[in-house]
Amino acid sequence: MELTDFNYDLPEELIAQDPLLKRSDSRLMVIHRDTGEIEHKHFSDIIDYLDPGDCLVINDTKVIPARLMGVKDETGASIEVLLLRNKGDNVWETLVRPGKKAKIGTVISFGDGLLKGEVVDIVDEGNRLIKFSYEGIWEEVLDRLGEMPLPPYITHKLQDKNRYQTVYAKHEGSAAAPTAGLHFTEELLQKIKDKGINIARVTLHVGLGTFRPVKVEKIEEHHMHSEYYVIPDETAELINKTRAAGKRIISVGTTSTRTLESAAAEDGTLKGASGWTDIFIYPGYKFKVVDSLITNFHLPESTLIMLVSAFYDREKVLDAYKTAVDERYRFFSFGDAMVLI
């Protein structure tokens, strides 16, 4: 398939720059895949489309304040470092801007020397391995000096770090939020549980590879960067029981979907597992586990819109996006949501 098969026109003013005051007040496009009917609701109405015995699968990864602003010790030149992956022993794989200023041996200071990093290697696509040194506790140093790594299309400064975090975020390690989950509140999750819907947790630490632009014309030639995931034993058991009972698995977001589909056997059963996945889901893929999908509105020509198109139908998805533009939905990370049932 061609990259341009997943393009659409989006007015810039529809890109959401700020989160809504209340998470669940965002709009919700409901797409009935069997009939093609589209409804326009609010996210708090999601409970009306979930049945007792269904299983809602959430990604409980936690975004770290991964953007660090520093200066080169040698020249005082400004350098931005984005933490991508913890390699152990205080070494992180990072994205550095401008990269040409970060040769092996370069020492960078952050927070007037509270944190220092030395470039020890240059790896795939120019990413730098940086070994950090500091006094105290890493998480506290990072929380003090780091900023949330908001996508480049968000130009407003985030006033509250927690708004780029799901209310159920638990395990630190993501460079970006699993944004479909941003719409849930504690109150809504409790109502869902009270209705008899089970909630299962997986973890996938979202890397920037998920959001990097596809640069090949034939999408089949695109290669995803690997991301670390965990499926607890109890989650696998709950999902298997749900499917055996004839109930639905509703995945919250493309990251939860990729996690489940990565680990599933051909018959759709799961076992507790952990590891790295580079699964790339695009039209033609046969889903093994996921029955319904809650997701946001994604960038044109992105791997995310390709996954949604695989789950439904490419032309119908693009028609739904056109409807969302006409109806003035808010797009991308802080934008509105859709559910495909």
Side-chain angles (χ1 to χ4, degrees):
M1 300 188 77
E2 301 289 336
L3 181 60
T4 52
D5 290 337
F6 301 90
N7 199 5
Y8 67 91
D9 293 324
L10 178 69
E12 189 173 343
E13 68 268 18
L14 294 185
I15 299 173
Q17 292 295 326
D18 302 288
L20 295 179
L21 192 60
K22 185 177 181 182
R23 294 170 182 261
S24 60
D25 282 349
S26 55
R27 296 172 72 189
L28 177 69
M29 176 182 284
V30 182
I31 300 178
H32 298 264
R33 290 186 295 156
D34 54 346
T35 64
E37 179 191 1
I38 291 177
E39 297 180 88
H40 303 289
K41 300 286 186 175
H42 287 92
F43 196 82
S44 53
D45 297 319
I46 190 71
I47 193 168
D48 297 334
Y49 300 92
L50 308 177
D51 299 324
D54 286 345
C55 182
L56 192 71
V57 183
I58 59 177
N59 179 9
D60 65 4
T61 187
K62 191 171 187 178
V63 185
I64 60 173
R67 177 169 280 122
L68 293 163
M69 307 305 296
V71 295
K72 282 181 65 174
D73 272 13
E74 186 179 353
T75 64
S78 296
I79 285 191
E80 177 184 338
V81 173
L82 186 64
L83 305 177
L84 298 179
R85 184 181 298 174
N86 188 349
K87 308 291 282 188
D89 195 29
N90 291 324
V91 175
W92 283 76
E93 182 176 344
T94 68
L95 180 65
V96 178
R97 296 191 186 99
K100 63 183 179 181
K101 291 185 179 180
K103 297 180 172 61
I104 293 175
T106 298
V107 177
I108 307 167
S109 290
F110 309 90
D112 295 325
L114 182 65
L115 174 67
K116 283 185 175 283
E118 180 181 352
V119 179
V120 295
D121 201 359
I122 300 174
V123 292
D124 294 345
E125 297 190 4
N127 289 351
R128 267 60 175 174
L129 295 186
I130 295 182
K131 186 173 181 63
F132 290 97
S133 58
Y134 53 92
E135 292 186 5
I137 300 171
W138 167 252
E139 289 78 11
E140 292 180 356
V141 172
L142 193 60
D143 191 57
R144 178 173 171 182
L145 299 180
E147 300 175 7
M148 282 300 188
L150 295 179
Y153 51 76
I154 294 178
T155 58
H156 293 188
K157 185 173 178 61
L158 184 62
Q159 300 303 315
D160 178 1
K161 283 184 181 181
N162 288 326
R163 292 310 307 272
Y164 194 59
Q165 206 80 268
T166 63
V167 296
Y168 46 76
K170 184 176 182 181
H171 301 290
E172 291 192 335
S174 274
T179 55
L182 295 178
H183 306 282
F184 288 94
T185 63
E186 296 284 8
E187 295 79 8
L188 180 55
L189 288 169
Q190 189 58 53
K191 286 180 181 178
I192 288 170
K193 291 177 185 176
D194 291 345
K195 189 177 177 180
I197 293 114
N198 296 305
I199 297 177
R201 291 172 174 256
V202 298
T203 305
L204 182 133
H205 292 318
V206 188
L208 290 188
T210 301
F211 304 99
R212 276 185 169 148
V214 178
K215 296 180 179 178
V216 292
E217 285 304 316
K218 298 286 186 183
I219 66 166
E220 296 86 352
E221 298 173 4
H222 177 68
H223 178 69
M224 298 282 284
H225 287 239
S226 60
E227 297 164 314
Y228 185 74
Y229 74 90
V230 178
I231 299 177
D233 290 340
E234 57 268 28
T235 289
E237 291 169 11
L238 179 54
I239 289 173
N240 291 338
K241 286 180 181 178
T242 301
R243 297 183 74 250
K247 297 296 184 177
R248 294 176 302 166
I249 306 302
I250 297 108
S251 181
V252 178
T254 59
T255 60
S256 298
T257 301
R258 293 177 65 244
T259 303
L260 295 175
E261 295 295 324
S262 293
E266 283 304 313
D267 64 357
T269 56
L270 286 170
K271 294 180 180 178
S274 63
W276 296 87
T277 179
D278 62 357
I279 188 171
F280 176 27
I281 298 176
Y282 55 88
Y285 179 85
K286 302 300 182 186
F287 287 81
K288 307 182 188 76
V289 184
V290 177
D291 299 303
S292 297
L293 172 63
I294 298 170
T295 189
N296 277 19
F297 292 93
H298 303 296
L299 274 73
E301 300 184 348
S302 65
T303 61
L304 308 176
I305 197 172
M306 292 172 192
L307 184 151
V308 178
S309 297
F311 190 72
Y312 185 24
D313 174 273
R314 183 188 64 86
E315 291 186 0
K316 291 177 181 177
V317 167
L318 291 176
D319 284 345
Y321 270 57
K322 183 178 185 305
T323 298
V325 169
D326 292 341
E327 295 288 333
R328 311 296 290 176
Y329 274 69
R330 301 165 75 246
F331 278 67
F332 305 160
S333 296
F334 288 140
D336 296 317
M338 69 161 57
V339 59
L340 299 114
I341 58 176

